[in-house]
Amino acid sequence: MTSVLVDGIGELVTNCPDLPGEAGILAGAALVVDGDRVAWAGPSAAAPGADRRIDVGGRCVVPGFVDSHSHLVFAGDRADEFTARMAGARYDGGGIARTVAATRGASDARLRALLAARIAEMRAQGTGTVEIKSGYGLTVGQEARLLRLAAEVTDETTFLGAHVCPDGVARADYLELVTGPMLDACAPFARWIDVFCEPASPHAFDGDQARAVLSAGRAAGLGLRVHGNQLGPGPGARLAVEFGAASVDHCTYLSPADIDALAGGDTVATLLPGVEFATRSPYPDARALLDAGVRIALATDCNPGTCFTSSMPFVIALAVREMWLTPLEALRAATAGGAAALRRDDVGHLGVGAAARLTVLDAPSYQHLAYRPGVPIARLLDVSG
Ligand code: NIG
Ligand code: FE
């Protein structure tokens, strides 16, 4: 195995308070990667030798971003919906059917190429780990196909057959399909199951329907995630806590009771401020969540309908500007928070033994992630021997 010394790090954010430095941040640092793992991190002056040396010239290094929520396997374009929303149109999930039609009609080769381009975009902006959902197939064969393609690029795959009820299919019949044959066909390619629990949408699922989906997923051995409280108040967040889901995502409309429930459970509240940006919605009250002791994550939700960005730095900047997170809170939510939302302890930090996914910034400090919005300063560092 080849070891690589990454030296000349102006500011190293490890997210590990027990490593040298203040609160997991060390100036004048170095880090050693052995194979695909972090083997050492500390002051540059104390760095051990290695087979190869990379000097990052005083730049800041942070853990690779953990984007714990995306819908990357799709074809087609819905820019017109975005334009209409900027002029005042509301989002209700109706446009999902357009992406389903385009995706069903795309070949494996086409979807694979689109997916590869989106993954490359993410890596070029510093994302080291990504979760990918199905949800634009909505038949047994199509959902299994999307998950098979997603599993080619990530271990974090999520079965979202319960995205919307397809046009022309009776809701009860569709739920039977999702919780039966579709789940059976998809489970081999999925780590997680998710449901769009949104009584405010005529296309999504209510609390009882979401409960049926989560119960079936759990029985099939999948971990649980929930799209909840995006378009209005609803049962999503509380259901997620009741089921011990790893994460409830969106959380745009949370009541004090929802926040109490989240504070009393171990479900991460994943905030997707790119969605509020691109749907002209109010931003979630991130400070209320943090003040209540709720664990939060930040993710892109990259999808053609509500937020077509692959950029975690953009999401961090929004979280700082619009949700009053400090730049450090936002970075932590985009790294360690995302890892918690995926129940992973090997990513989201740069402690010894962590996966060697390092993001380098063309900047002296992590603060520049929000300070220089729209400027491509973050990229995943190639530390292969
Ligand atoms: O997370 N809300 C449900 N699903 C996606 C949007 C899907 C779409 O509109 O294509 C989301 O926002
Ligand atoms: Fe989503």
Side-chain angles (χ1 to χ4, degrees):
M1 248 182 336
T2 313
S3 60
V4 178
L5 169 64
V6 182
D7 208 351
I9 303 175
E11 180 177 84
L12 175 66
V13 180
T14 61
N15 284 344
C16 296
D18 46 331
L19 282 174
E22 187 78 9
I25 303 178
L26 180 64
L31 183 146
V32 175
V33 169
D34 204 358
D36 61 358
R37 299 279 143 185
V38 174
W40 183 90
S44 184
D51 301 327
R52 191 163 82 86
R53 182 171 181 274
I54 300 173
D55 192 326
V56 296
R59 290 179 175 79
C60 177
V61 169
V62 303
F65 304 126
V66 180
D67 190 348
S68 60
H69 184 144
S70 85
H71 306 245
L72 293 189
V73 199
F74 68 87
D77 183 90
R78 284 158 60 199
D80 53 345
E81 289 178 33
F82 170 78
T83 300
R85 281 200 303 275
M86 292 306 102
R90 302 303 313 160
Y91 175 83
D92 75 350
I96 292 172
R98 297 172 69 196
T99 302
V100 169
T103 304
R104 285 178 181 170
S107 67
D108 282 8
R110 175 76 183 137
L111 288 177
R112 206 175 263 127
L114 289 167
L115 180 55
R118 290 167 191 148
I119 294 278
E121 233 178 68
M122 287 185 160
R123 291 177 65 87
Q125 296 171 97
T127 294
T129 306
V130 62
E131 178 265 13
I132 302 177
K133 302 174 197 301
S134 66
Y136 293 122
L138 309 187
T139 65
V140 173
Q142 290 279 352
E143 283 292 306
R145 176 171 85 115
L146 302 189
L147 282 163
R148 179 168 46 74
L149 293 170
E152 291 176 3
V153 298
T154 185
D155 295 336
E156 300 296 343
T157 51
T158 301
F159 168 47
L160 181 57
H163 199 183
V164 289
C165 184
D167 293 336
V169 181
R171 193 155 276 266
D173 294 347
Y174 189 63
L175 275 165
E176 250 179 56
L177 189 70
V178 168
T179 56
M182 197 187 280
L183 175 58
D184 293 342
C186 289
F189 304 107
R191 178 171 183 220
W192 306 97
I193 189 168
D194 195 344
V195 54
F196 186 13
C197 176
E198 198 66 66
S201 164
H203 310 283
F205 300 92
D206 67 21
D208 287 341
Q209 293 161 350
R211 188 178 282 281
V213 171
L214 294 173
S215 299
R218 180 161 65 189
L222 299 182
L224 309 181
R225 326 186 65 75
V226 176
H227 275 73
N229 303 70
Q230 175 184 3
L231 305 177
R238 269 163 291 144
L239 209 56
V241 174
E242 180 193 321
F243 273 79
S247 177
V248 56
D249 301 42
H250 287 284
C251 298
T252 313
Y253 294 92
L254 292 180
S255 67
D258 295 330
I259 295 177
D260 281 353
L262 285 163
D266 63 357
T267 299
V268 173
T270 299
L271 309 180
L272 311 166
V275 173
E276 280 77 38
F277 175 87
T279 56
R280 276 206 197 284
S281 302
Y283 287 88
D285 191 346
R287 288 249 62 90
L289 287 164
L290 287 178
D291 291 348
V294 177
R295 186 85 198 253
I296 64 164
L298 286 170
T300 61
D301 196 12
C302 185
N303 77 82
T306 59
C307 182
F308 195 11
T309 185
S310 51
S311 172
M312 287 295 278
F314 174 62
V315 167
I316 288 170
L318 284 179
V320 170
R321 173 62 177 81
E322 303 291 346
M323 303 199 304
W324 295 85
L325 296 192
T326 67
L328 187 56
E329 286 170 336
L331 174 60
R332 293 248 158 90
T335 52
L342 294 174
R343 303 230 159 125
R344 293 273 297 264
D345 57 14
D346 61 330
V347 295
H349 67 94
L350 293 175
V352 172
R357 297 179 197 166
L358 282 65
T359 287
V360 65
L361 309 182
D362 274 330
S365 159
Y366 70 85
Q367 296 168 93
H368 284 234
L369 283 165
Y371 176 48
R372 306 208 68 211
V375 183
I377 62 168
R379 73 190 145 84
L380 212 57
L381 188 65
D382 180 5
V383 286
S384 53

